[in-house]
Amino acid sequence: MGTTTAEATAPAPSAGDLARVIRAIFPHDNLADGPYLRSAQAILVAVTSSPHQQGVVEEGLRSLQSLAGGELGKVGVDALSDILQRLQHTEFFRTLLTSSVVTLYSDADTWELLGYEGPSFDKGGYLNRGFADLDWLPEPRITEYDGEPLLEYSPPVPGIDVAFNEIKKAAAK
């Protein structure tokens, strides 16, 4: 994608623009703007260590603005998603996809929306911290078998004429 003179003199896209793009990639109607904005800011900070990546993101956002016909903030998320589908094979899209999936889903507000209680390693693990409080799951069906007695089946081992039970007995000796 080439840069026109008007695009080259346009102000650099903002974190808000990038946040809107991330929302179009990972739409969650009930997720506030905060996680998207923090994700955008983290990506903008991360790409500053690589002039190439910074150029990819900035040029990609400018191109996206051009394709959207103006300010990204005025384009609906669905329309922006349609435009992004045309860009899905570009380095810009891959960069945003791989970066924002990590930054967005590492945000505690996103965890809360999705029902994830967060990491438990620093709290001693999940076992004694409400591991069994999954009230949104159905009660497990646990019943005891009360039918005919079952027979033990020992499948034959190919190439060996001895039943598996006999091998287990021999190994135990």
Side-chain angles (χ1 to χ4, degrees), residues 31 102 104-119:
L31 187 59
V102 174
L104 182 64
Y105 293 104
S106 295
D107 192 287
D109 288 346
T110 306
W111 297 346
E112 186 176 333
L113 174 74
L114 300 177
Y116 176 56
E117 296 176 4

Side-chain angles (χ1 to χ4, degrees), residues 14-165:
S14 67
D17 292 334
L18 185 56
R20 189 143 183 92
V21 174
I22 295 169
R23 182 179 285 280
I25 295 173
F26 298 104
H28 293 283
D29 292 340
N30 296 327
L31 187 59
D33 289 338
Y36 291 106
L37 192 56
R38 287 188 290 275
S39 181
Q41 290 166 336
I43 291 170
L44 290 174
V45 168
V47 298
T48 58
S49 65
S50 165
H52 174 75
Q53 289 295 308
Q54 187 171 7
V56 165
V57 170
E58 288 178 2
E59 178 62 27
L61 285 171
R62 284 190 186 102
S63 296
L64 194 56
Q65 274 182 324
S66 178
L67 290 170
E71 294 179 38
L72 293 177
K74 294 182 178 176
V75 179
V77 171
D78 290 338
L80 199 52
S81 180
D82 291 342
I83 296 169
L84 284 168
Q85 287 183 14
R86 296 189 331 220
L87 302 176
Q88 66 181 318
H89 299 293
T90 64
E91 184 177 3
F92 165 68
F93 185 82
R94 285 192 312 269
T95 298
L96 288 188
L97 180 69
T98 57
S99 300
S100 59
V101 71
V102 174
T103 55
L104 182 64
Y105 293 104
S106 295
D107 192 287
D109 288 346
T110 306
W111 297 346
E112 186 176 333
L113 174 74
L114 300 177
Y116 176 56
E117 296 176 4
S120 69
F121 181 77
D122 60 337
K123 298 170 183 111
Y126 290 110
L127 189 56
N128 297 317
R129 290 190 47 248
F131 182 72
D133 70 349
L134 299 176
D135 56 0
W136 50 273
L137 288 176
E139 284 296 317
R141 187 184 68 181
I142 301 173
T143 57
E144 294 209 16
Y145 178 74
D146 61 352
E148 294 288 321
L150 300 175
L151 299 175
E152 186 172 332
Y153 173 69
S154 299
V157 177
I160 300 177
D161 291 333
V162 181
F164 184 66
N165 278 350

